[in-house]
Amino acid sequence: MQKKQHFPDHQWSGFKKLLLVMKLTTFLLFLSVMGMAANTYAQGTRFDLNVKNATVIQVFDEIERVTEFGFLFKTDQMDLSKHYTLDIKDANIENILDEVLSKDQYSYNLIDKNIVITKVNVNTIQDEKSVKVSGKVTDQGGLPIPGATVVVKGTTTGVVTDSNGTYSLSNIPANATLQFSFVGMKTQDIKVGNQTVINVVIEESSIGIEEVVAVGYGVQRKSDLAGSVGIADADQILKYSSFSALQALKGKVAGVNIFTNSGNPSGNTRVIIRGVNSINTSSNPLYVVDGVQMSDFQFVNPNDIERVEVLKDASAAAIYGARGANGVILVTTKRGSGEGQGTTVSYNGWVSLGVLAKKVDLMDSNEFMQMQDIGFANFSKYSQSKNSAGLTVDRSDPLLFDAQGNPLYNTDWQDEATRDVISHNHQFSIQQQSKGSSVGAFLNYTDQEGIMLNSYMKRLNGKITYDADPTPWLSTGINLMVNHVWANDLDETGGGQTARRTMWEMPPIIPVRFPDGSWSNSQFTGNKLNVGLEAMSNPVHELTTRKMNRYKTKIFGNTSLTFHILEGLDFKTQMGLDANLNTDKNFSPNDLINISSPNGSANISTYDSYFWQEESFLTYMKVSNKHRINALAGMSWSQQTVATSNTGTVSGFATNFFGYDNLGAGTIPSAPSSDWNRWAMNSYFVRGSYTYNDKYLATVTARVDGSSRFGLNNHYGFFPSAALGWVISNENFLKDKSWLNSLKLHTSYGRTGSSEISVYSTLATINSGTVLMNGTRGASTYVDRLANPDLKWEKTDQFDFGFNLSMLDRRINLDLDYYYKLTSDLLLARPIPYITGFSSVIDNIGEVSNRGIDILLTTTNVKARNFTWESTVNINYNTNRIEKLGANNEDILTNPGFVGGNVILRVGESLSSFYGYRRLGIWGSSEAAEAAKVGAVPGQAKRSTEREILGKGLPNWTGSFINTFNYKNWDFTVDLQFVAGVDTWQLYMHSMEDRSGIANGFSTILYNGWTENNQNTMVQQIRQQNYSGQDSQADSHWVSDGSYIRGNLIQLGYTFDNNTLTRFGLKKLRGYASVSNAFLIDSKDFKGYDPEATSNNDQFGQNIFFYQYPRPRTFTFGVNLSF
Amino acid sequence: MKQILYYGLLSLSLIGLNSCNGFLKEEPRSQISASQFYATPADATSAVNNLYKSGFPSFYDAGSAYMGPTVMYGGYISGLFDNQYKGQEKFVQDCQNLAIDPVVDNGNLLSIWQNCYVAIGRANNAIKYIPTTPDLSTAEASKLVSEARFFRALNYFHLVKMFGGVPLIVEPYEAIENLYIEKSSEADVYNLVVTDLISAIEQGGLTDAPMPKNGFRISKGSVSALLADVYLNISGYPLNAGKYAEAATVAKSLINNSAYSLIANGSTPEESAYNVLRTSDIQNEYLYVIEYNSTISNGGWRPTFCFPNEAATWGEFTYSISNNAYRPVAQILSAYDKTNDLRAQEKQYFHTKYTFTKGNRKGETITFSDVTPYFWFEPEALYSTNISQKDQTHYRLSEMYLIAAEAVAQTTGVNAESAGYLATIKARASMNKTKEEITTELLALTKDEFIKEVWKEKIRELIFENKIWNDITRTRMYPTTSNGVFTFVPIIGAQNPWGKTFAVKNLLLPFPNEEIQRNPKLIQNTGY
């Protein structure tokens, strides 16, 4: 606490006054907390004071200069005309104040080093019989309230309570009434009468400083909340200097699991709230931004976000009915108000350096050749071909080897394909609030470079808000955001030889370019190397010449009108839109082997979606005595249309000159395509919340949703919920427990839905295309699915029970929730016998459950004058289980179907379970006969005969441990994030270890591979795949523990104090430096960059991947500035 | 003012409650609802067109460099064809180990099962609705229905050969009911196949011409070829239905029809009948072909099956991967008379050497480790376009000669007629004997010897045309070598080249595990 803040120069006295009026009590509350340390300064400190002809303020300034005291007073109560000349030696503060302040006019109160001065109005009391009254002011929990105002009603005479909540007033008339007040509390009047000690318990008032929480179509006091809502604010989000708000949310809200599956700037982020509910439909939560449902949320500018609320349980989410089952993320964006009256201009910016965080251990040139030699030596053991016996590696190619046969090059492809990158972000905002209206304008530019060559994502984002209250009965608001993102992506799916794979597999003996300047590849013409390299374009060549450009434009906004009909009764109508215009342009040149040679390829596709919604609702809020009512009723219409088009992949380009800009130059076109679809919803919803005596809470919600996506027979669904809360700490038996600040138990039960089936799923439709008929395209049609007019939404029934505990002066806060979710009527591609000619019909069959615990523990570990240490632990434990499947509980095998590996859906197991063979070891020399029975020889993998479940990709434990330290103006954050109880399936082991000779691989094959002398290993013997084949099946050897601890963020910040800032005309200035992804601790069996990844974007594929885009370590420097 | 507000709100909520009825109605634009289909003759044609690339015909699509297309499964199952990438293709290993398992190999089994039934379902739909399509002439309708019947029969024939008796579905599924169906007997399945084909021949009004000369649509010749093959198969195991005479009749109807003729050898080895077969899409010998071209439907990785996998690194070819994916093993190659059989010569059906065409190894010739198919060698695809365009023949007139030879021998013995048919085929491949000389030799054989010679000739003539497993299962005789000499032995108890012994269960595939799970009425084949 800086005293200067409260004693500005004269010219700021107006501000000082305001400060006093507005914030005195808050300030005193804070002081009293700070004053937990012993208050011995006032007594112990002696000093000299020497002023000549000074005003009282100059006197105080001088005291403050030579001591650590600070003063609080109202300038209009001080006699500023009086001048003092003082020369006092070795006095304590009380001596001096007695000298300066006329005792009959002023009283003062010492709270730690702060002195509060109040004027005593002598005139009103001089004729009355005077008494002295003292006492203590406490809250309902029995805690003292420092800084409460005690005045003699009808006068200006009064005092404020000290740090112990006590006060003392003398010379007041016996017939007086004392008025006790404190911000956020109900004011109480008490007649003095004969009392000399008056102790007062003051209660919270219905409106006040209490935190409010957005709950969908409105707000609720946090203390009245019976449902489960997680919160993150702008400061938490912006600390992370990330392109995407979702990445910044990671680890901030218990139960919200955010998977950053790639280091690619345009890579996907996956959000799962309280486990995956669904098998076939999306597990993404519903995003509602300023009341409007939004798609593609990950591209939204995080700097625009003021606050995020996550509706987790049924009570909170059921107001969104058929779209609420995956949880709802409510986002409130910044507006014109919020920074006080007047105009505030802010700039937030950062610049960051990204580097490759880890390199994997690949064979270098010498190791690679050594592996080849061993592979050739093992020919006769594995090969049935006679001709290969005795063959040796041909080292005569002068492009690769010197005269002695030593490799000329030792290329580190990980280094070559990646780079250190600089990214930056700039956010300008202008916020102006005046009486009756406010306006905000926000502009953002972000340039994020990816560490793999040529990958980037950039964003230009503008947002304007205007809020006005033109008449007493009408409030209006408008919000418009335009966001344009452009990026160069790279291939992150599939098994092809693209950069993220070839940066590991490209042999180190090959240079990036040959001496003549031409790009290398693994199969250059005339190559004499007889090892049979698999076809690979070199990753540098690919990354620098291939284009996968993405253009996304989002226009998003809403207008609202709120009619204040009666006291507490409002009618709000809001129209919102979300338009997304996306164009993908791809080009791959004609010289990338195994990608697009010899014909090249290009295509352009568009995806345009238009969504609008109209929602109108009545809200009613009523507080009377012990009853508090908050009610809502409304209706909603929404519609989305999506139009897509694709030119089809055009190839046959004679030149790479045109890229994708002249598709007509390609001689081999393919059929173009386009598609259009629409869905619409019409909904009605109500909510009622009731609080009795701040102890008993109840909330009931219900929504009826009609969706065009549902079958004719089931257009409308009903989604109710109910929640109860009990604030036990307000009961008499706990009221007096001084260690307890608050304790609330709450429970809820309700139903939400998921309507995320593809459009027209209920209809049998004819698929139309073309087939080759006599050299030309003949029309071709077939019925592509069975009709199911009974199709309806998935429903999730969720039970939640939890408590919010705050204790020890609110230094320990614990929120704990247990939940059980059962999703039934799963919209499942119900397997039907293939004899029908169809493989499945979309039907409501199957059940999945999720149960778990969310824990959020925030503690203030140290709270000293200059130093605080706060910790947040947030943990989600979740178990996922498939309860029923199909008509006969059939297993369903899904992606990736790669060399015997699948994800299996099986009753009793978690979603994302890995299904493959178990590797029991390597066949030993003594087991030759046994091995022969399965067609193997010693040195090959010994596997189980049947496939089994080898692990699962969805974690049981996710969470974070965030520590914030504040020392004077410095702040320091250490954010650790962890995941446990999860596995990772490293499909790249197929070509990195089980298959050798035709590409580079892990050095483990060379050092841990089976030999006669090293039989106790899990790594197969080196065999040259090209001549001796391979033995590669997706098995348990490829599965590693997927748990990790990540140094998510380490940040050091410095906030300049206001006094310094005001000299420069600034309001706020903070600078910081941080490291994100600072370190990663993972399983020793995990060989890749990061165990959290996926090669599939569907929900089955978590933690199963072939190769991955490495995640960078990022060093950031940033500044937040406003004036 | 407030009154205006109230009235405004009231009317707004009334609008809300009476919201437009059509708001939640689905009206697809880019798809047609099934109920609106079969409205024009074009609808009928397009529904039948689809069958040309659904189910069995699609088994020729070579979508992967690593695994041979589904039509090659029979070869893998026989153990007589190997795949260089079998280390990652477990199905090939399981075939060779006679260890095909309904669970482990579910995916490969499904690729046959599912696709055949998809085509059958679509054919059922066409057969049901085409006759009632408005404005469609009766003649055109019966022609289209006949094409659909051909494809239904083709898919059922493949199913019954691979799996034995299967559920017989003859009506399209249009609602979620009647899902669980027991398997029918093999006889019932064949009954439907024969009925469909006879109907197509007799009522179809199909053109009697080689398929390439019928606009690549199913001709009477295509249907007859399939019917002849079906008759031949049901005359053998397991039905032993005694239809050799019918097989002979149908096969001879093609042999004796001047619209169809065998390709004649040209004057150079490059112009041999077999190289014409490799390079030409339009010949009077072709009865049923699967069409490919560059822009609409290409043949995928097939040309790369002509080279061992190290060839991919030579820098010679546009394809980045090569794989000897369908390598005939030594014992089947021993069927050829290496000195006298044209087909066994370099660059006819096979090749073993390659001469570099460019780079610093230009002119250098290397010899492969193994004999490798030349049958799918497409220079344009390999050297410049990367796109395989060659059509694939499933029935050729030469097979009809062999069917006729065997069927006539079975009914009337070894005589001029049966010997003549076989000699025609042998003579075309003979480098030093005339047809007459060969006929004379053949007439000296016993009936049993003659029939085995037909089988052997079928291996030599159609080695890459995927007939081997059908012939092994209908004859229950397995081609092998005894002291280096080619011979046939009873399949039960025979050892495959990988040292595994055939049992009765190996004659049929198991139903895929997924289908067993989905259809509780489907009883798994014995032994699995």
Side-chain angles (χ1 to χ4, degrees), chain A residues 374 925 939 1006 1008-1017 1019-1022:
Chain A
I374 296 170
S925 304
L1006 190 60
N1008 302 345
W1010 187 96
T1011 64
E1012 291 288 343
N1013 300 322
N1014 179 32
Q1015 302 212 9
N1016 185 22
T1017 177
V1019 184
Q1020 302 190 82
Q1021 186 173 27
I1022 292 176

Side-chain angles (χ1 to χ4, degrees), chain A residues 523 533 675 678 766 775 839 1026, chain B residues 30 32 291 309 312-313 518:
Chain A
Q523 299 183 349
L533 292 177
D675 184 55
R678 166 190 177 271
I766 301 285
S839 55
N1026 198 27
Chain B
S30 36
I32 302 169
E291 199 184 355
N309 62 9
T313 66
R518 287 163 183 233

Side-chain angles (χ1 to χ4, degrees), chain A residues 759-944:
Chain A
V759 289
Y760 316 136
S761 295
T762 68
L763 307 176
T765 51
I766 301 285
N767 188 302
S768 303
T770 58
V771 293
L772 175 60
M773 289 297 315
N774 201 20
T776 61
R777 285 186 196 279
S780 161
T781 51
Y782 60 92
V783 180
D784 65 356
R785 58 177 167 247
L786 275 176
N788 185 359
D790 295 325
L791 204 63
K792 56 187 179 185
W793 52 93
E794 286 182 2
K795 58 175 192 270
T796 298
D797 292 306
Q798 183 172 189
F799 169 76
D800 184 289
F801 177 80
F803 64 82
N804 312 105
L805 169 68
S806 178
M807 55 191 278
L808 300 183
D809 219 7
R810 299 197 185 272
R811 283 176 65 164
I812 297 178
N813 299 287
L814 175 64
D815 293 351
L816 191 146
D817 279 72
Y818 165 82
Y819 59 85
Y820 174 76
K821 293 202 290 183
L822 179 66
T823 306
S824 52
D825 285 343
L826 285 183
L827 287 164
L828 193 65
R830 169 187 164 189
I832 55 173
Y834 290 103
I835 55 172
T836 58
F838 303 95
S839 55
S840 61
V841 56
I842 302 288
D843 203 353
N844 295 100
I845 282 198
E847 293 180 0
V848 169
S849 70
N850 284 279
R851 69 197 80 197
I853 293 175
D854 290 343
I855 300 169
L856 175 65
L857 173 66
T858 55
T859 57
T860 308
N861 306 320
V862 175
K863 193 171 205 171
R865 212 167 65 82
N866 284 327
F867 180 68
T868 56
W869 169 23
E870 292 174 338
S871 300
T872 301
V873 179
N874 95 53
I875 298 173
N876 170 252
Y877 173 81
N878 187 74
T879 54
N880 174 277
R881 201 181 116 100
I882 299 173
E883 304 287 350
K884 280 186 192 168
L885 270 185
N888 306 307
N889 285 337
E890 307 94 333
D891 289 348
I892 299 176
L893 294 179
T894 70
N895 288 331
F898 175 70
V899 287
N902 284 99
V903 166
I904 187 168
L905 304 176
R906 176 178 281 177
V907 171
E909 301 292 338
S910 170
L911 291 172
S912 235
S913 289
F914 310 157
Y915 188 59
Y917 299 96
R918 185 160 297 283
R919 187 175 296 192
L920 307 167
I922 304 296
W923 291 107
S925 304
S926 58
E927 300 173 298
E930 213 185 321
K933 287 182 190 161
V934 295
V937 295
Q940 276 183 267
K942 187 203 294 189
R943 298 190 183 88
S944 59

Side-chain angles (χ1 to χ4, degrees), chain A residues 141-216:
Chain A
L143 285 174
I145 299 184
T149 311
V150 186
V151 294
V152 179
K153 200 169 178 185
T155 73
T156 53
T157 308
V159 293
V160 291
T161 55
D162 65 11
S163 61
N164 297 317
T166 59
Y167 71 94
S168 174
L169 271 173
S170 48
N171 289 334
I172 57 167
N175 63 349
T177 298
L178 295 187
Q179 188 168 60
F180 296 83
S181 61
F182 188 73
V183 173
M185 300 295 211
K186 285 180 186 164
T187 301
Q188 279 191 42
D189 295 350
I190 293 175
K191 280 208 147 189
V192 176
N194 295 326
Q195 303 176 86
T196 54
V197 176
I198 300 177
N199 292 330
V200 174
V201 176
I202 55 177
E203 294 174 12
E204 287 177 8
S205 73
S206 57
I207 50 154
I209 56 169
E210 180 90 23
E211 193 176 356
V212 293
V213 176
V215 288

Side-chain angles (χ1 to χ4, degrees), chain A residues 74-366:
Chain A
K74 294 187 177 180
T75 38
D76 60 356
Q77 290 183 353
M78 301 303 287
D79 182 357
L80 300 175
S81 61
K82 190 171 176 183
H83 286 70
Y84 300 84
T85 302
L86 299 167
D87 186 9
I88 305 171
K89 304 267 186 231
D90 192 33
N92 71 16
I93 186 72
E94 293 184 354
N95 304 143
I96 290 170
L97 289 175
D98 289 346
E99 187 74 34
V100 177
L101 299 172
S102 156
K103 263 189 187 168
D104 52 347
Q105 281 190 47
Y106 298 98
S107 69
Y108 62 84
N109 227 329
L110 259 169
I111 302 171
D112 192 17
K113 292 169 191 170
N114 298 284
I115 298 151
V116 181
I117 297 165
T118 9
K119 189 172 185 191
V120 180
N121 193 335
V122 283
N123 301 332
T124 57
I125 57 173
Q126 56 192 357
D127 298 330
E128 307 288 340
K129 182 192 168 195
S130 300
V131 296
K132 182 178 177 186
V133 178
S134 63
K136 187 172 183 179
V137 179
T138 56
D139 69 9
Q140 287 154 301
L143 285 174
I145 299 184
T149 311
V150 186
V151 294
V152 179
K153 200 169 178 185
T155 73
T156 53
T157 308
V159 293
V160 291
T161 55
D162 65 11
S163 61
N164 297 317
T166 59
Y167 71 94
S168 174
L169 271 173
S170 48
N171 289 334
I172 57 167
N175 63 349
T177 298
L178 295 187
Q179 188 168 60
F180 296 83
S181 61
F182 188 73
V183 173
M185 300 295 211
K186 285 180 186 164
T187 301
Q188 279 191 42
D189 295 350
I190 293 175
K191 280 208 147 189
V192 176
N194 295 326
Q195 303 176 86
T196 54
V197 176
I198 300 177
N199 292 330
V200 174
V201 176
I202 55 177
E203 294 174 12
E204 287 177 8
S205 73
S206 57
I207 50 154
I209 56 169
E210 180 90 23
E211 193 176 356
V212 293
V213 176
V215 288
Y217 306 105
V219 294
Q220 253 187 326
R221 286 172 19 130
K222 196 176 180 189
S223 62
D224 286 350
L225 199 62
S228 187
V229 177
I231 301 163
D233 63 26
D235 287 348
Q236 284 172 295
I237 290 166
L238 289 181
K239 216 168 195 175
Y240 290 84
S241 311
S242 72
F243 192 91
S244 150
L246 287 176
Q247 286 174 31
L249 260 185
K250 191 166 185 159
K252 300 298 160 296
V253 180
V256 179
N257 298 331
I258 296 176
F259 297 88
T260 311
N261 280 323
S262 165
N264 185 357
S266 44
N268 272 333
T269 303
R270 221 180 133 193
V271 179
I272 297 172
I273 296 176
R274 289 187 166 177
V276 176
N277 281 337
S278 179
I279 289 180
N280 225 32
T281 65
S282 162
S283 57
N284 293 329
L286 175 69
Y287 296 95
V288 178
V289 178
D290 296 325
V292 181
Q293 298 174 15
M294 182 192 272
S295 56
D296 272 351
F297 175 74
Q298 64 165 332
F299 301 109
V300 161
N301 172 18
N303 296 282
D304 282 348
I305 294 175
E306 175 71 36
R307 201 175 148 89
V308 172
E309 262 99 0
V310 182
L311 311 184
K312 298 192 287 188
D313 74 340
S315 169
I319 197 69
Y320 287 104
R323 302 194 74 194
N326 295 327
V328 180
I329 294 187
L330 296 180
V331 177
T332 310
T333 66
K334 290 176 179 157
R335 303 184 83 88
S337 57
E339 297 289 329
Q341 292 249 342
T343 304
T344 301
V345 179
S346 310
Y347 167 77
N348 294 330
W350 50 257
V351 58
S352 73
L353 169 69
V355 301
L356 184 62
K358 176 189 178 184
K359 276 166 70 172
V360 300
D361 186 14
L362 306 171
M363 287 179 274
D364 66 14
S365 280
N366 289 327

Side-chain angles (χ1 to χ4, degrees), chain A residues 55 60 129 193 201 232 323 338 357 359 367 406 442 490 657 792 826 912 967 975 1100 1108:
Chain A
T55 66
F60 292 163
K129 182 192 168 195
V201 176
R323 302 194 74 194
K359 276 166 70 172
E367 289 169 324
N406 298 314
F442 308 86
L490 57 80
F657 176 82
K792 56 187 179 185
L826 285 183
S912 235
Y967 176 71
D975 175 343
F1100 307 127
Q1108 62 185 148

